[in-house]
Amino acid sequence: MSWKVTNNERSQDQLLVNESLFALGNGFLGVRGNVEEGYGEGMISIRGTYINAYHDETPIEYGEKLHAFPETQQKLVNGIDAQTIYISVNGERFSMSAGTIHSFERTLHMDKGQLIRNVDWESPSGIRMKLMFSRFVSMTTKELFMQQVEIEPEEEADIVITAEVNGSVTNFSDPGDPRVASGHAERLHVTDCRAEGRSLLVTDETYETKLEMHVHSMSEVSAPADRTTEIKDGRAAEHYSLKTGERIVFTRWNVFTDTYRHGESLQERAENIIRKCGSFDEEAAKQQAYLTRFWEEAGLKIEGDDSLQQGLRFHLYHLLQSAGKDGVSNIPAKGLSGEGYEGHYFWDTEIYMLPFFQMTQPEIALQLIKYRYSLLGAAKDRAREVGHEKGALFPWRTITGGECSAFFPAGTAQYHISADIAYSFIQYYLVTGDISFVDEYMLEVLTEVSRLWMDMGHYKGGTFRIDDVTGPDEYTCIVNNNYYTNVMARHSLQWAVKSWELIGGDAATAWKEKLQLEEGELAAWQEAADRMYLPYNEEHGIHAQDDTFLQKKVWDLENTPDEKFPLLLNYHPLTLYRYQVCKQADTVLGHFLLEEGVDEEVMRRSYDYYEKVTTHDSSLSYCIFSMMAARLGDTEKAYDYFIKTARLDIDNTHKNTKDGLHLANMGGTWLALVYGFAGLRVDENGLRFRPVLPKAWESMAFRIRYQGRFLEVELGQDQITYRLLDGEDLSIDHFETSVTVQAGKEVHASYQT
Ligand code: BGC
């Protein structure tokens, strides 16, 4: 069962949630899990097809627009809809809300990468037929979305199959929820719509960005049928009519191309791609082979809890489906499963999702990093716009590099994103050991990020301070010396200096000239790092979230009614800012990422303190609390938080899964397993593990790649096994001792009591 996710509920609410849960994608193309024939009258559906980074721009309307507020916002566009297939029997159209459903099942198969819906249906006038709808978005031909319907009538009947490509689509909007875009729903228009030979062809263009998107759709029926076509209102349709009492199979190939990836010849490119596609079975076999490899590489196993195993697989599956793999796109906060957060990329990628890719799919990780690197120019421009003479300020949310946040206190003010990006580059280097990466990408990014800190920070009382920023916790905004920001800034400054040392020689000389490194710049970064101010509160014995957090009144969470959560939808931001109340992990996250030099007791007290004032209104919070509980030895608490991450979307606990999945939380579940329970940390000394196993599990295992090695780690009841599947001998730290594993061999180690 853990390879499958099934949900047969058909209430209005669950239908919308299922559209997200059953979304299919490959990082380029995403298709929500809408049903082919649509729902009955009066039902709401968020029907969506998205191409990663395919966007339009809309003006941001401010009541009062101040200097350097972004003028436009990018928005992922709901693109051409090629999902629709209608089936009529003796003139009655199949629908889940007409006639009688004798049985129904809808299942996502994560081992073969297909969504399958089986229905045993009886039409209102009593004709019964079995239908099986299968679909997948290909992992091997990124432009391809395949559909197949098997139709088995019980008696001879007139059957009409209609396949449609609809170019007249709009985005979804909900003015009542700031997390779903409001207004500006119509973002593209049809420029070409026709039937030609065996194909339906539709091309659309966005209004402002003038980006084109094209669909080339072809289909076939397994029995002789009359085919007619129809073009109307931006829709191209084909109808197949036949009389049969036998099982017939309808197969459909939809190929999507866009300006970004296919340039100006997007129609020609689509035609060439579709010509090379194999049969449904051939393409499905390639899909399965791709996924078999993916699962082998992740090597994920939890013995003793099938539903968690399922939840975990579901998360890794969606991570794979959502990650841009072409260097011009990234991972939207909701993946390609919905329009929440408008398809924007946030720090979610670097801190929550990249580790999974770095350690299991390094090629995809490199593409994600290259995408960020490609924004460096825009980040430098943005820094100037905001008033910095030097450095790069990465946008809080964006698609192509422009800042898209209209609310600067919880947007642009989150300067930590620049440090998070630096952190991810450093981690990539540590995991791969690739010095050419430092030369090609890391040195430049870290240099520009360090220049930003130098430009905005200042010395006071002998310490280096960073004022007026917002940390990860969005319920506390525009503060001085946010602990998380300062500790992350210190790390990026230290590593900027190290990067210059690492590349040295001629490469450093060339970079010096290119980046116009000034005399004394490196020394200044080192000094700022050494003297970075990290607020500490003696009374509580903890690091303060910022200079004033601990002076505020504590929010009475216990007596806040359930319906008031998430607080952001029920209280004015200023009310929230005036209290000690956190949306998500902030200081605790700082301790998780960078614990060096922090006393374990301080981390423990911080954990206990901040846990009491955290609402976890952000889905990015639980996994951090899970990992830190594991780190501090509270395995049961770690487990409780872990459960909350593992089923957040499947059980719709945040109540907004309909707008799309919570991708950062999905990455966070893997983190909680590998960095939490197995206690992995990667630093200059190599890999370190501090494993603990929750009582509820018999064992758990995963695989990671590290500097050319392929390592399997298994946490059993009594012992831990490190197995080197490939690569040169590797020494790792297991708690405080060093163990060496050799290729093809395993080493056993014990838990710490
Ligand atoms: C969180 C941010 C996050 C964003 C996108 C917000 O609710 O507070 O930390 O980056 O969602 O997932």
Side-chain angles (χ1 to χ4, degrees):
M1 92 74 147
S2 56
W3 288 110
K4 298 180 189 165
V5 175
T6 300
N7 195 310
N8 302 332
E9 209 192 303
R10 288 189 288 131
S11 65
Q12 169 68 77
D13 284 355
Q14 190 60 37
L15 280 177
L16 291 171
V17 170
N18 285 350
E19 291 179 346
S20 300
L21 296 179
F22 292 142
L24 298 179
N26 58 17
F28 164 71
L29 180 67
V31 181
R32 262 173 82 82
N34 310 110
V35 293
E36 283 72 4
E37 68 285 357
Y39 305 139
E41 190 108 327
M43 303 274 286
I44 302 167
S45 166
I46 305 175
R47 206 169 173 87
T49 300
Y50 313 103
I51 286 185
N52 202 350
Y54 183 82
H55 69 281
D56 201 22
E57 262 171 26
T58 57
I60 303 179
E61 282 142 27
Y62 297 96
E64 280 172 70
K65 182 177 171 298
L66 300 182
H67 181 71
F69 278 20
E71 291 184 359
T72 54
Q73 197 189 42
Q74 303 175 329
K75 196 180 178 97
L76 183 73
V77 170
N78 180 21
I80 302 168
D81 177 13
Q83 295 191 61
T84 302
I85 300 172
Y86 299 122
I87 292 152
S88 296
V89 51
N90 287 355
E92 291 176 309
R93 192 184 270 187
F94 161 71
S95 155
M96 299 288 290
S97 45
T100 312
I101 306 283
H102 290 283
S103 71
F104 160 64
E105 190 191 273
R106 198 167 184 218
T107 300
L108 173 68
H109 296 257
M110 298 182 284
D111 50 350
K112 52 183 183 184
Q114 274 191 47
L115 179 67
I116 298 179
R117 178 164 59 118
N118 277 296
V119 195
D120 180 352
W121 183 69
E122 191 177 321
S123 74
S125 70
I127 310 234
R128 194 154 167 181
M129 61 182 183
K130 289 204 175 89
L131 295 160
M132 179 163 124
F133 296 84
S134 310
R135 52 159 71 184
F136 63 90
V137 171
S138 171
M139 292 285 176
T140 54
T141 302
K142 69 175 190 295
E143 296 84 357
L144 178 64
F145 166 46
M146 282 219 74
Q147 293 168 293
Q148 190 165 74
V149 194
E150 296 181 38
I151 307 166
E152 209 177 330
E154 264 194 357
E155 58 194 271
E156 196 171 73
D158 287 323
I159 297 196
V160 179
I161 306 167
T162 300
E164 191 182 273
V165 184
N166 179 13
S168 298
V169 282
T170 61
N171 275 51
F172 180 77
S173 75
D174 181 354
D177 187 343
R179 297 168 299 181
V180 189
S182 54
H184 305 294
E186 197 191 325
R187 297 309 338 149
L188 37 64
H189 62 107
V190 182
T191 55
D192 187 16
C193 180
R194 63 202 147 96
E196 197 178 280
R198 307 281 311 157
S199 307
L200 300 179
L201 305 170
V202 177
T203 309
D204 276 19
E205 189 186 58
T206 51
Y207 283 116
E208 298 302 325
T209 50
K210 308 280 181 226
L211 292 172
E212 282 189 302
M213 175 178 193
H214 172 70
V215 172
H216 188 133
S217 179
M218 267 175 68
S219 49
E220 93 190 358
V221 190
S222 60
D226 287 338
R227 177 176 181 269
T228 54
T229 56
E230 191 186 337
I231 307 295
K232 206 176 159 202
D233 302 333
R235 292 166 189 246
E238 55 190 343
H239 309 282
Y240 293 90
S241 316
L242 65 161
K243 193 175 190 71
T244 185
E246 307 289 314
R247 171 180 170 274
I248 51 169
V249 181
F250 175 72
T251 307
R252 193 174 184 210
W253 293 257
N254 301 298
V255 164
F256 288 74
T257 50
D258 82 319
T259 311
Y260 266 133
R261 283 70 168 198
H262 306 91
E264 285 179 3
S265 53
L266 71 175
Q267 299 210 3
E268 218 179 299
R269 295 279 297 275
E271 197 178 331
N272 289 338
I273 294 164
I274 215 161
R275 273 210 211 107
K276 291 194 194 121
C277 290
S279 66
F280 185 91
D281 289 348
E282 283 164 354
E283 294 299 333
K286 288 192 223 160
Q287 177 87 339
Q288 175 137 20
Y290 183 98
L291 282 157
T292 304
R293 203 176 48 244
F294 172 74
W295 291 119
E296 261 171 33
E297 284 172 354
L300 191 79
K301 237 183 281 162
I302 296 186
E303 304 273 352
D305 195 330
D306 255 15
S307 84
L308 273 189
Q309 168 98 305
Q310 177 204 38
L312 260 156
R313 286 197 175 129
F314 183 68
H315 286 188
L316 300 196
Y317 186 72
H318 274 293
L319 282 168
L320 176 69
Q321 293 206 116
S322 312
K325 301 172 182 69
D326 51 15
V328 299
S329 57
N330 205 268
I331 314 180
K334 303 278 182 188
L336 294 168
S337 68
E339 293 166 29
Y341 289 128
E342 288 139 309
H344 292 163
Y345 317 128
F346 294 73
W347 71 310
D348 304 31
T349 300
E350 278 71 20
I351 298 300
Y352 291 81
M353 302 187 257
L354 204 55
F356 166 71
F357 290 104
Q358 267 174 8
M359 307 224 66
T360 67
Q361 305 287 324
E363 306 79 28
I364 299 179
L366 186 58
Q367 291 304 319
L368 294 167
I369 285 193
K370 281 188 180 171
Y371 158 83
R372 271 306 180 191
Y373 177 76
S374 75
L375 303 191
L376 187 58
K380 282 159 66 177
D381 292 347
R382 178 68 182 149
R384 297 309 157 269
E385 237 171 63
V386 172
H388 301 295
E389 275 172 27
K390 284 191 153 199
L393 173 61
F394 283 90
W396 175 241
R397 50 191 291 179
T398 192
I399 294 180
T400 62
E403 175 62 271
C404 292
S405 174
F407 184 60
F408 78 91
T412 300
Q414 295 204 48
Y415 271 56
H416 67 85
I417 189 171
S418 296
D420 303 331
I421 289 166
Y423 179 89
S424 76
F425 277 59
I426 299 161
Q427 281 289 307
Y428 183 87
Y429 164 65
L430 291 170
V431 170
T432 58
D434 182 1
I435 192 79
S436 67
F437 173 76
V438 182
D439 185 10
E440 272 174 67
Y441 304 103
M442 179 165 137
L443 174 108
E444 192 182 355
V445 168
L446 266 59
T447 295
E448 296 301 347
V449 169
S450 297
R451 286 174 168 168
L452 176 77
W453 303 130
M454 297 313 292
D455 189 88
M456 68 173 301
H458 67 107
Y459 283 97
K460 186 166 189 288
T463 53
F464 190 79
R465 291 160 179 259
I466 298 177
D467 292 338
D468 293 310
V469 294
T470 297
D473 166 33
E474 295 183 352
Y475 287 171
T476 312
C477 290
I478 322 271
V479 292
N480 295 346
N481 297 308
N482 167 253
Y483 175 84
Y484 177 88
T485 307
N486 286 18
V487 87
M488 292 291 281
R490 181 177 70 176
H491 186 66
S492 58
L493 287 161
Q494 287 164 338
W495 270 93
V497 176
K498 270 188 210 168
S499 301
W500 283 92
E501 287 162 5
L502 276 170
I503 64 158
D506 290 348
T509 314
W511 273 117
K512 254 183 202 161
E513 200 165 310
K514 199 165 164 213
L515 300 179
Q516 298 185 357
L517 189 79
E518 284 168 22
E519 196 65 41
E521 256 194 295
L522 294 183
W525 301 346
Q526 188 62 52
E527 190 177 1
D530 293 344
R531 297 217 256 146
M532 183 66 72
Y533 174 66
L534 300 173
Y536 183 81
N537 179 282
E538 294 290 345
E539 185 193 340
H540 298 291
I542 62 173
H543 281 290
Q545 188 168 304
D546 56 66
D547 279 357
T548 57
F549 186 83
L550 297 174
Q551 291 160 30
K552 295 175 181 171
K553 198 172 165 188
V554 176
W555 187 284
D556 184 1
L557 281 179
E558 218 157 84
N559 293 310
T560 307
D562 282 356
E563 64 274 15
K564 293 285 189 192
F565 294 92
L567 302 182
L568 74 123
L569 295 185
N570 294 292
Y571 297 90
H572 190 280
L574 280 172
T575 307
L576 299 172
Y577 301 166
R578 291 194 182 112
Y579 282 86
Q580 287 191 46
V581 63
C582 300
K583 184 178 178 191
Q584 61 207 98
D586 195 297
T587 308
V588 173
L589 176 57
H591 290 330
F592 161 66
L593 295 175
L594 298 168
E595 70 172 53
E596 206 191 310
V598 189
D599 190 272
E600 191 157 328
E601 282 314 305
V602 173
M603 289 198 281
R604 195 183 306 280
R605 287 193 294 265
S606 286
Y607 186 97
D608 291 342
Y609 190 91
Y610 291 108
E611 189 187 26
K612 289 195 191 81
V613 293
T614 301
T615 59
H616 309 289
D617 279 350
S618 160
S619 65
L620 279 66
S621 198
Y622 292 139
C623 62
I624 308 302
F625 278 85
S626 172
M627 284 186 281
M628 278 310 281
R631 167 68 185 87
L632 298 168
D634 192 342
T635 316
E636 295 319 305
K637 184 173 267 186
Y639 181 74
D640 290 346
Y641 277 119
F642 178 75
I643 304 271
K644 292 188 165 132
T645 77
R647 298 196 61 88
L648 190 136
D649 281 308
I650 290 194
D651 296 340
N652 190 21
T653 55
H654 266 242
K655 308 235 179 328
N656 61 351
T657 294
K658 72 170 178 37
D659 301 322
L661 304 166
H662 299 80
L663 263 292
N665 171 70
M666 290 181 156
T669 310
W670 185 86
L671 285 177
L673 205 70
V674 175
Y675 287 70
F677 296 119
L680 171 67
R681 297 292 184 275
V682 187
D683 60 25
E684 276 172 290
N685 302 319
L687 299 182
R688 164 197 286 260
F689 291 92
R690 289 195 198 93
V692 292
L693 185 73
K695 279 206 206 81
W697 299 344
E698 281 155 37
S699 68
M700 76 98 155
F702 60 88
R703 292 174 174 173
I704 53 172
R705 297 197 175 269
Y706 173 73
Q707 300 196 354
R709 277 76 156 211
F710 192 27
L711 181 74
E712 183 170 69
V713 182
E714 192 176 332
L715 274 62
Q717 288 280 332
D718 310 315
Q719 62 178 16
I720 299 107
T721 305
Y722 297 104
R723 217 169 269 130
L724 192 59
L725 305 173
D726 196 21
E728 289 171 21
D729 294 4
L730 176 68
S731 291
I732 48 187
D733 285 345
H734 173 78
F735 293 102
E736 309 309 324
T737 57
S738 171
V739 293
T740 302
V741 231
Q742 293 170 331
K745 303 236 169 83
E746 57 185 41
V747 171
H748 301 292
S750 23
Y751 290 101
Q752 211 169 53
T753 42

